[in-house]
Amino acid sequence: MKLILGDFNAKVGQETFMADVAAKFSLHEETSDNGRMLGQFAASCNMIIESTYFKHKRIHLGTWSVPGSDQVNQIDHVLVDKRHASSVIDVRTLRGPNCETDHFLVGVKVRERLSNQQMSERKKNPMEF
């Protein structure tokens, strides 16, 4: 499973051209230039921007507060490959912990699915000793 987390300084909007890599639960209406580049990167790597796929209150979507104001932006994102998108249960901002930064922690809940592949017994060849 490929999982990319980071501060991309990208505002991902709710436009239709982002529909194949992002969902409609973003904090922003319009996509910034960095958001377009993040969308192109996600599309080229067959990934999705998972932080826009879960419906939360607006207070739990913002990941960065502008110093000196009440404005909050969603610029930290989580990308996961499309094959394992159903393994991510939730992505949200954790506003409680104080980390002495203007960013909030982003929590990701992942369900681990391991396959139980059993080895089939090898049929013995009657010609082998």
Side-chain angles (χ1 to χ4, degrees):
M1 171 190 261
K2 289 182 274 184
L3 190 69
I4 301 174
L5 304 106
D7 176 10
F8 296 101
N9 287 332
K11 295 179 183 179
V12 177
Q14 301 173 1
E15 293 100 353
T16 56
F17 68 88
M18 295 289 285
D20 54 337
V21 294
K24 61 180 180 177
F25 302 116
S26 176
L27 185 63
H28 306 287
E29 297 293 325
E30 295 181 5
T31 304
S32 67
D33 290 336
N34 286 347
R36 285 186 189 87
M37 287 189 284
L38 182 64
Q40 290 171 352
F41 172 76
S44 68
C45 295
N46 201 24
M47 301 180 95
I48 59 172
I49 304 171
E50 193 75 37
S51 51
T52 62
Y53 275 78
F54 300 99
K55 185 176 183 177
H56 290 291
K57 294 180 180 178
R58 292 182 64 83
I59 196 168
H60 297 298
L61 292 176
T63 60
W64 177 69
S65 63
V66 179
S69 74
D70 292 337
Q71 184 181 1
V72 177
N73 291 317
Q74 185 180 19
I75 60 172
D76 303 335
H77 295 285
V78 177
L79 279 71
V80 66
D81 52 338
K82 287 184 180 180
R83 179 177 179 203
H84 298 287
S86 63
S87 296
V88 177
I89 299 170
D90 192 21
V91 177
R92 65 172 280 186
T93 302
L94 306 173
R95 296 177 58 98
N98 186 2
C99 300
E100 299 298 327
T101 180
D102 53 355
H103 288 264
F104 299 112
L105 290 178
V106 177
V108 181
K109 289 184 185 177
V110 178
R111 175 184 11 188
E112 188 173 350
R113 293 182 183 176
L114 298 175
S115 64
N116 189 8
Q117 186 177 13
Q118 298 178 354
M119 298 288 289
S120 62
E121 290 187 32
R122 218 171 88 187
K123 293 182 180 180
K124 293 188 176 184
N125 190 351
M127 301 302 258
E128 288 182 2
F129 296 102

